[in-house]
Amino acid sequence: MSIPSELYPSQDDLLYEEELLRNPFSLKLWWRYLIARTESPFKKRAVIYERALKALPGSYKLWHAYLRERLELVRNLPISHAQYQTLNNTFERALVTMHKMPRIWIMYLTSLTEQKLVTRTRRTFDRALCALPVTQHERIWEPYLVFVSQRGVPIETSLRVYRRYLKYDPGHIENLIEFLLNSRLWQEAAERLAGVLNDDRFYSIKGKTKHRLWLELCDLLTQHATEISGLNVDAIIRGGIRKFTDEVGRLWTSLADYYIRRQLLEKARDIFEEGMTTVVTVRDFSVIFDAYSQFEESVLALRMETMTESEDEEEDGETENGIEDEDEEDDRLDVGKLEEKLKKFWISDYKDVNLRIARFEHLMDRRPELANSVLLRQNPHNVEQWHRRVKIFEGNPTKQILTYTEAVRTIDPMKAVGKPHTLWVAFAKLYESHKDIGNARVIFDKAVQVNYKAVDNLASVWCEWAEMELRHKNFKGALELMRRATAEPSVEVKRRVAADGNEPVQIKLHKSLRLWTFYVDLEESLGTLESTRAVYERILDLRIATPQIIINYAMLLEDNKYFEDAFKVYERGVKIFKYPHVKDIWVTYLSKFVKRYGKSKLERARELFEHAVEMAPAEVVKPLYIQYAKLEEDYGLAKRAMRVYDQGTKAVPSNEKLSMYEIYIARAAEIFGVPKTREIYEQAIVSDGLPEKDAMKMCIKYAELEKSLGEIDRARKIYVYASWLADPRSDGDFWNKWHEFEVQHGNEDTFRDMLRIKRSVSARHSQTHVMLPEYLMQKPTVDEAMDALKKAGVPEDEMAALERQLAPAAPKTTTTTTTTLDSGNRKLGFVSGGVQSSETASGIQNQEEIELPESDDDDDDDDDGKVEISQKDVPEAVFGGLVRKRDEEEEEQVKKDNENGDAGSRLGALERIKRMRQGN
């Protein structure tokens, strides 16, 4: 066979060939030769590779590169191409020396997998596992499992491979289970999954929990019930029910589904019933009940379809029999026909449709009862659920009696949720409603012997028993029951109970207020006065009386004309109770005493009232003082009544002082006349406990009184006094009233005084501070300051505008310097050196008010009718620290004047500052 010329070495290859001839075993020379011929055809490179590998058969580098190029050569060729056989032969030759190289094996196995050579690939994988050490097997098993998972590989082959793999790594059993499920090998999958769940050391590499694996096993067993054998499915699922309580409903339905698939319908019903009677959550019950009802409905539908088909067959059979020949032979000995006839007999199973309908309806009717049973299994001591269970059986007295019996036996009163005595009472009323009073008494007699959690529960049972006797006209029996219930246990019984250490409620029953209240009502209705008084006295001796019982006892005595005894009861009541409980007793006692004796025992009544108001707290003393004053007005002295009102105004809390003063003033005006109220008004205004708002309202009323009496000056002074309590921003009603007053009764001077006071009060209450720039602080003139205030959003003072209208020219002073001051050059923050008036119309000093000259007739004549008005100062908040600096300078100047003997002279602020600067 001739070799193509292109495979011979070329002129360029001579250099490499000569070196290889000298050293044919040099890997570096062969590798340089291959790199130099990278662009040559593969056939020529293959010759070089073959020559190199013949010289160096153990070179991994040469074999790996050669095989990679072989793989690239067949990449785009069909698997039936002849090049694949050459590739496989090359791999086989390589493995002769490279059988310990896992990478060569993986390349070969991957190629065989792509060629779909199942048997050869399987055997090659086995050879690789045998040739490589165990530490390298993981790299072979991964493609091996991929290979056996392909379609076309026999299941048995794959299964054997997986089993072998589990011997190498048992932790990957989930892969085998998944393969078995995909291959529909349900039996082995279930066995493997059950083995996993029984292995406590198993750890899922896929992150599955035991709970999830349990559910997968249950689903597998139930969905393929007929295909899996050898496993105790019932025990497995019941074990899951005991272990996983959050999926109980689903597991019960799975177990029932298992029996349904195996055609064991009655067993499935038993499972459903058992599940509904054992689950403890409503959610699980709903799951089981829905599955159960759906099962019954589907079975019923199937039976109805079967019955319809059988009826059609019978009709067809009758039609055929009708046309048969009468001479046909007798078929009674034909076993097949006999069996067909027996199947059509009326007792046959497929005709039990009515039974199944009744069973389905019974199931739906039992739902409320079954749901209630679930709730009672959650907490058998839930009283409300037992009541609901009894209501479910309404109309069935036998079931109700059985339910009550079970309830009172099951419930522990110490653990009960609710009131367990209501079950006993309802049980007895059930017998009463059916006219069985004897059994009702037996139930009550057992009920009063139960050790309840609270004494009130036992007392309720006794009261219900007595009420039942009253409903049936057994009055003596009811009284006898109350005497039994309220009887105090003997000393021996108490000693025995104390020795046991567990004191039942029956020992404390004789102190039950509810029981005694019912008993005393019975005695009042059915007994005598003596017996009723004995019961009341017994209540007082036991110290369980309430204020209402005291009042009821006293009223009982009053109705029977025992007035002094009734008052003694009141006296005992006020000694027993404290405020606020004794309030009703005092009010009733005092009203009854005054109504009874009136003027005859006035001193005793006064002592009672004094004691009552002395014991009462300030919050509740007002009605007592009013009642006390009413007593003095009706039966005593008016002066004492006024004294009582005066004491009341001091004793009541601040929020009630105004109303108390109003009552005081109204009564004083009615008894002594309006002038008498002046001193009360003055007392109220100067009272420390009266809030400012209420004092202001009192001032307004006082001023209205003086105005009605024609005392205008007194009314004005009251307004002036009250002005320091009223904020112009919030108390506009006061200033409106004063404004109306001045409009009606004042003049220009009084109106101006009102506005000045209003502005001073507003400045005192104001909390607004205007921050001015630094250059305004350095040049504090009036015009500049006013402009700055306007820009800052401060509204111009209305009083300042009024004064500018009244005084267009600058004022002249008579007691200070005659220098005329221009308003544009006047210093800020200082009043004019005119008349220094330090008192307002009410005599109250105010350092911030605007000084007005005092006008008299002589000054008006001397000044030819000219009115002097002082200049208005800018609010101190505008200048911040300048005002404090000014005040400090003024105080220093006053000290110097006092030292120089000039304290008597009254100079203006500007003149004093000039002198101070000259002195510096």
Side-chain angles (χ1 to χ4, degrees), residues 71-281:
L71 289 172
E72 287 294 331
L73 182 63
V74 300
R75 180 177 298 278
N76 297 323
L77 297 178
I79 58 175
S80 59
H81 198 278
Q83 287 290 340
Y84 275 99
Q85 185 61 36
T86 305
L87 175 65
N88 295 340
N89 293 335
T90 306
F91 271 112
E92 291 292 342
R93 288 190 293 114
L95 289 174
V96 173
T97 55
M98 296 289 107
H99 58 278
K100 296 296 183 182
M101 300 300 173
R103 186 59 191 163
I104 303 298
W105 282 107
I106 292 172
M107 292 169 64
Y108 187 23
L109 295 170
T110 303
S111 177
L112 290 177
T113 303
E114 294 175 354
Q115 297 175 47
K116 306 298 182 183
L117 303 175
V118 178
T119 303
R120 185 171 181 175
T121 305
R122 178 180 58 79
R123 291 176 178 174
T124 306
F125 270 113
D126 294 341
R127 287 167 53 202
L129 291 173
C130 292
L132 293 173
V134 177
T135 56
Q136 301 292 334
H137 283 192
E138 181 65 28
R139 302 179 65 182
I140 302 300
W141 276 115
E142 184 176 353
Y144 201 178
L145 296 178
V146 173
F147 161 68
V148 297
S149 300
Q150 289 181 339
R151 298 183 62 181
V153 179
I155 294 177
E156 184 65 24
T157 300
S158 302
L159 186 57
R160 289 176 180 270
V161 171
Y162 270 107
R163 288 171 182 169
R164 286 173 57 196
Y165 178 59
L166 288 181
K167 292 181 181 180
Y168 168 74
D169 187 2
H172 287 73
I173 192 172
E174 290 177 272
N175 295 331
L176 175 59
I177 295 173
E178 186 177 352
F179 171 77
L180 293 172
L181 293 175
N182 295 332
S183 302
R184 299 177 178 276
L185 300 175
W186 315 118
Q187 179 69 33
E188 186 172 355
E191 292 175 354
R192 294 282 185 177
L193 194 54
V196 165
L197 291 172
N198 291 330
D199 186 5
D200 295 333
R201 296 175 298 175
F202 173 75
Y203 175 77
S204 175
I205 60 175
K206 295 187 176 181
K208 293 183 179 180
T209 60
K210 284 288 187 72
H211 178 263
R212 182 177 175 183
L213 293 174
W214 262 103
L215 295 181
E216 289 181 359
L217 177 60
C218 293
D219 293 340
L220 179 62
L221 294 174
T222 55
Q223 293 174 6
H224 306 283
T226 58
E227 300 171 5
I228 298 175
S229 61
L231 292 176
N232 191 347
V233 178
D234 190 282
I236 291 174
I237 296 181
R238 288 180 184 273
I241 291 172
R242 290 189 297 269
K243 192 171 185 179
F244 305 104
T245 56
D246 57 336
E247 293 288 347
V248 172
R250 179 179 173 182
L251 292 175
W252 278 114
T253 55
S254 297
L255 183 57
D257 189 27
Y258 168 76
Y259 287 110
I260 292 171
R261 292 177 184 273
R262 299 195 66 178
Q263 301 300 320
L264 301 174
L265 302 185
E266 293 301 326
K267 183 65 175 178
R269 288 191 182 92
D270 294 341
I271 295 299
F272 279 125
E273 292 288 342
E274 183 182 358
M276 288 191 300
T277 55
T278 55
V279 294
V280 295
T281 63

Side-chain angles (χ1 to χ4, degrees), residues 467-528:
E467 287 180 359
M468 185 190 75
E469 298 294 346
L470 292 176
R471 286 194 294 269
H472 294 83
K473 311 300 181 182
N474 186 9
F475 304 121
K476 291 184 179 180
L479 286 173
E480 184 61 30
L481 283 175
M482 289 296 101
R483 293 191 186 99
R484 280 178 54 193
T486 55
E488 186 175 359
S490 62
V491 178
E492 182 180 356
V493 173
K494 290 183 178 179
R495 187 183 302 112
R496 188 185 313 120
V497 170
D500 294 341
N502 186 14
E503 188 179 57
V505 293
Q506 283 78 7
I507 300 297
K508 307 174 186 177
L509 181 65
H510 67 285
K511 290 187 177 182
S512 173
L513 178 61
R514 179 174 184 176
L515 202 63
W516 281 105
T517 304
F518 187 82
Y519 186 19
V520 79
D521 289 341
L522 283 182
E523 287 291 350
E524 286 188 24
S525 304
L526 306 174
T528 62

Side-chain angles (χ1 to χ4, degrees), residues 620-683:
V620 297
V621 77
K622 180 181 175 181
L624 296 177
Y625 271 110
I626 295 175
Q627 195 174 359
Y628 187 10
K630 185 71 168 52
L631 170 70
E632 294 292 347
E633 291 180 15
D634 294 342
Y635 305 107
L637 302 175
K639 290 184 178 181
R640 292 184 65 91
M642 293 300 103
R643 191 184 310 153
V644 171
Y645 279 123
D646 184 61
Q647 293 176 0
T649 57
K650 298 175 182 177
V652 296
S654 300
N655 58 340
E656 294 182 355
K657 283 185 179 294
L658 179 62
S659 59
M660 194 67 189
Y661 271 115
E662 290 176 349
I663 297 172
Y664 184 13
I665 292 170
R667 301 307 301 160
E670 183 178 350
I671 296 173
F672 296 103
V674 175
K676 176 66 176 177
T677 61
R678 282 177 173 166
E679 59 185 34
I680 304 174
Y681 274 117
E682 293 175 359
Q683 177 186 345

Side-chain angles (χ1 to χ4, degrees), residues 33 58 116 157 276 435 524 534 574 638 673-674 694 729 794 807 882:
Y33 193 7
K116 306 298 182 183
T157 300
M276 288 191 300
K435 311 300 182 183
E524 286 188 24
V574 298
V674 175
D694 295 341
R729 296 172 300 177
V794 179
L882 290 178

Side-chain angles (χ1 to χ4, degrees), residues 692-693 696-697 700 722-736 758 761-767:
E692 289 187 357
K693 297 290 183 182
M696 184 181 63
K697 295 178 182 178
I700 294 175
S723 64
W724 297 99
L725 305 175
D727 187 353
R729 296 172 300 177
S730 58
D731 302 323
D733 185 50
F734 168 79
W735 296 99
N736 293 335
K758 181 177 181 181
V761 173
S762 178
R764 185 169 68 90
H765 287 282
S766 177
Q767 299 296 327

Side-chain angles (χ1 to χ4, degrees), residues 579-580 612-622 651 653:
Y579 273 95
V613 297
E614 181 182 354
M615 300 298 295
E619 292 76 12
V620 297
V621 77
K622 180 181 175 181

